[in-house]
Amino acid sequence: MQHEEQVRVLKGLMDHLDRGTNVDVGYQVKNPTASYTSPEIAAQEWESFFQDYPHLLGLSGELPEPGSFFTSTDLGKPILCTRDMDGTFHAFLNVCRHRGVVVETAERGRKKLFSCPFHAWTYSTTGDLVAVPKEDHFGAVDKSCHSLVALPAVERHGLLWVSPNPEHSFDIDDLLGDLGDELGHWNMEACARHDATTYKHACNWKLANDTFGETYHFETLHRDTLSPSFYGNVQMYDTYKRNHRMALCLRSIDSMRGTPTDSWHILRGTAPVYYLFPNIQLVMTGGGPILVRIYPDAGDPSNSRSEITWYTFPEEVRRSFGIPEEQDEGRLSITDRMEGFAAIIEAEDYVVAASSQVGALSGAQDFVTFGRNEPALHHYHSTFRKALGQEPLETLESPISSAAE
Ligand code: FES
Ligand SMILES: [Fe+2]
């Protein structure tokens, strides 16, 4: 994130605090509860957003050296991601070209060759079929026609992007817009993978995503967890095409007042959270990025899960942030970082997200209301609806009391 932009965001937050304001879209919108309960919409989203759209599967640190690999079934099909012996990132359908068995069954590791467990057809890190045992008995195989099926894959700004549709390549620079440049400033290519976990939630995937979309709830839901270190209902918000950046306001921002802006760093006064369409929340902390990938259970509008991975900035990068020791999350152990995140996201946010699903299924109301101070919710849902060709969200001009009738 460019320093000039860091200063703009920090000053904007200080200004909101001074004036007792928050970002203000200027109007409320109604979001139909069917968005969270309809099997038809869930099916459209799965096809359009999760089967035919490029996805961020991890940071570059998932593949730390030549020969590193990991496998994924997050997008409903087996995918093998590799870093070849020259260091280039690849993704393939993890399916043997002989009889269709899943080739690599380990979650991650390092290999020069991937040998199918059925008859040992063997593939290189570039997906080439390099060995067919007993070919004199089996019959000749044209190896050049039997490589693993390649998926469009791009490594950019320390992020690993894959299209699950082999036919659909993508332009990640175009999809990220101006946000790409900003992401490039975080040195994420140097971040090491630390640990990962899964949270399952009995709610629509968008309800889990929505919990990242405002700080209006900090002083109630997170009264004892986040609120001691964050101001609630104060944020800076910027959109970049289908993506956005929210800057949450740390109470430590006050210690920066009156100090030279040259010494400011965004992480001293905020926790920036990037949303990358359709399902990514990337939380920047002094300890390192936390990547949250939210997936629906295919075809099921009421169940979803989050795959969460913790990464670490290299020590020299972390020190350059100038975060005072007592505020620096980087001093914490990975166990403390993971437990702290779970205490907020899993034990608080995702509990109310599941509760909202109960409410949506109850039929109590046909829509939920997004406030003027919840711009991310406006943006998420407007973007989803536009992508699926649905009607725009209905705008409410009247006070919420009459809107809830
Ligand atoms: S199915 Fe893979 S080698 Fe036969
Ligand atoms: Fe929250």
Side-chain angles (χ1 to χ4, degrees):
M1 190 172 177
Q2 298 86 334
H3 191 255
E4 197 177 300
E5 179 66 357
Q6 296 183 34
V7 171
R8 183 190 73 83
V9 170
L10 288 161
K11 282 185 172 175
L13 288 170
M14 290 175 188
D15 190 51
H16 277 314
L17 289 171
D18 291 342
R19 294 192 295 129
T21 55
N22 192 4
V23 287
D24 189 343
V25 183
Y27 54 89
Q28 301 163 341
V29 287
K30 294 161 69 169
N31 189 39
T33 46
S35 162
Y36 303 117
T37 59
S38 160
E40 291 74 28
I41 294 173
Q44 286 172 3
E45 290 171 346
W46 181 248
E47 284 307 312
S48 176
F49 300 166
F50 292 91
Q51 298 296 283
D52 201 13
Y53 198 82
H55 275 262
L56 174 58
L57 292 185
L59 269 59
S60 294
E62 299 287 338
L63 301 172
E65 51 196 345
S68 295
F69 72 90
F70 67 89
T71 56
S72 165
T73 53
D74 293 320
L75 297 166
K77 51 180 77 171
I79 292 175
L80 170 65
C81 295
T82 67
R83 189 174 299 289
D84 72 20
M85 305 321 287
D86 295 327
T88 304
F89 170 52
H90 300 270
F92 310 99
L93 290 176
N94 185 13
V95 175
C96 183
R97 297 301 305 280
H98 174 210
R99 299 244 306 268
V101 163
V102 170
V103 176
E104 181 54 58
T105 54
E107 263 182 44
R108 60 187 55 252
R110 191 168 175 227
K111 284 184 178 178
K112 286 184 179 166
L113 296 170
F114 299 91
S115 189
C116 177
F118 202 173
H119 312 90
W121 284 29
T122 298
Y123 303 86
S124 69
T125 55
T126 52
D128 297 317
L129 176 62
V130 293
V132 174
K134 299 187 177 63
E135 201 171 346
D136 52 337
H137 291 208
F138 182 85
V141 175
D142 181 351
K143 295 189 181 63
S144 67
C145 300
H146 291 81
S147 303
L148 293 176
V149 173
L151 297 174
V154 173
E155 182 169 23
R156 185 84 88 252
H157 311 306
L159 304 171
L160 303 172
W161 299 88
V162 176
S163 166
N165 181 342
E167 305 300 323
H168 278 192
S169 56
F170 56 93
D171 180 347
I172 195 62
D173 299 321
D174 182 51
L175 291 172
L176 292 174
D178 291 342
L179 193 58
D181 220 27
E182 174 165 326
L183 293 172
H185 277 72
W186 281 103
N187 288 304
M188 281 189 282
E189 60 281 355
C191 288
R193 181 184 188 276
H194 224 35
D195 208 340
T197 192
T198 303
Y199 302 160
K200 291 191 173 174
H201 15 83
C203 63
N204 187 274
W205 69 281
K206 299 191 298 298
L207 279 171
N209 195 58
D210 286 352
T211 64
F212 289 89
E214 37 86 14
T215 67
Y216 176 40
H217 67 280
F218 276 23
E219 285 163 17
T220 47
L221 184 65
H222 302 314
R223 187 177 54 244
D224 301 323
T225 50
L226 278 184
S227 200
S229 48
F230 283 86
Y231 285 109
N233 200 36
V234 178
Q235 60 161 303
M236 288 287 281
Y237 184 70
D238 293 277
T239 59
Y240 305 84
K241 296 193 164 180
R242 290 177 161 183
N243 318 294
H244 77 218
R245 184 223 306 125
M246 273 177 64
L248 317 185
C249 190
L250 283 163
R251 292 185 188 273
S252 59
I253 197 171
D254 291 328
S255 69
M256 301 169 69
R257 291 175 185 269
T259 63
T261 55
D262 287 357
S263 67
W264 287 9
H265 189 280
I266 193 75
L267 290 177
R268 290 181 55 198
T270 87
V273 180
Y274 296 101
Y275 164 70
L276 306 174
F277 181 92
N279 68 329
I280 298 295
Q281 299 287 345
L282 180 60
V283 184
M284 306 307 285
T285 77
I290 304 171
L291 175 64
V292 181
R293 297 176 291 132
I294 304 172
Y295 296 99
D297 286 2
D300 180 351
S302 298
N303 284 287
S304 50
R305 70 183 200 287
S306 295
E307 301 292 344
I308 304 166
T309 315
W310 282 261
Y311 300 90
T312 314
F313 286 119
E315 190 61 25
E316 65 275 16
V317 171
R318 206 165 65 73
R319 262 197 244 108
S320 73
F321 300 155
I323 302 173
E325 175 73 19
E326 64 280 9
Q327 296 165 10
D328 185 4
E329 204 201 322
R331 74 189 193 288
L332 301 176
S333 69
I334 184 61
T335 308
D336 286 347
R337 287 182 69 198
M338 292 176 78
E339 285 180 356
F341 199 73
I344 299 159
I345 305 298
E346 187 178 32
E348 294 181 338
D349 285 309
Y350 286 170
V351 169
V352 294
S355 184
S356 293
Q357 187 72 25
V358 172
L361 290 166
S362 75
Q365 53 188 358
D366 294 333
F367 63 88
V368 293
T369 307
F370 298 151
R372 289 166 27 202
N373 58 349
E374 300 177 316
L377 302 180
H378 292 232
H379 183 252
Y380 291 141
H381 289 271
S382 297
T383 307
F384 296 141
R385 296 181 73 79
K386 192 170 178 191
L388 294 180
Q390 298 169 345
E391 291 291 308
L393 292 170
E394 187 180 337
T395 300
L396 278 168
E397 307 292 351
S398 51
I400 191 165
S401 54
S402 63
E405 283 169 8

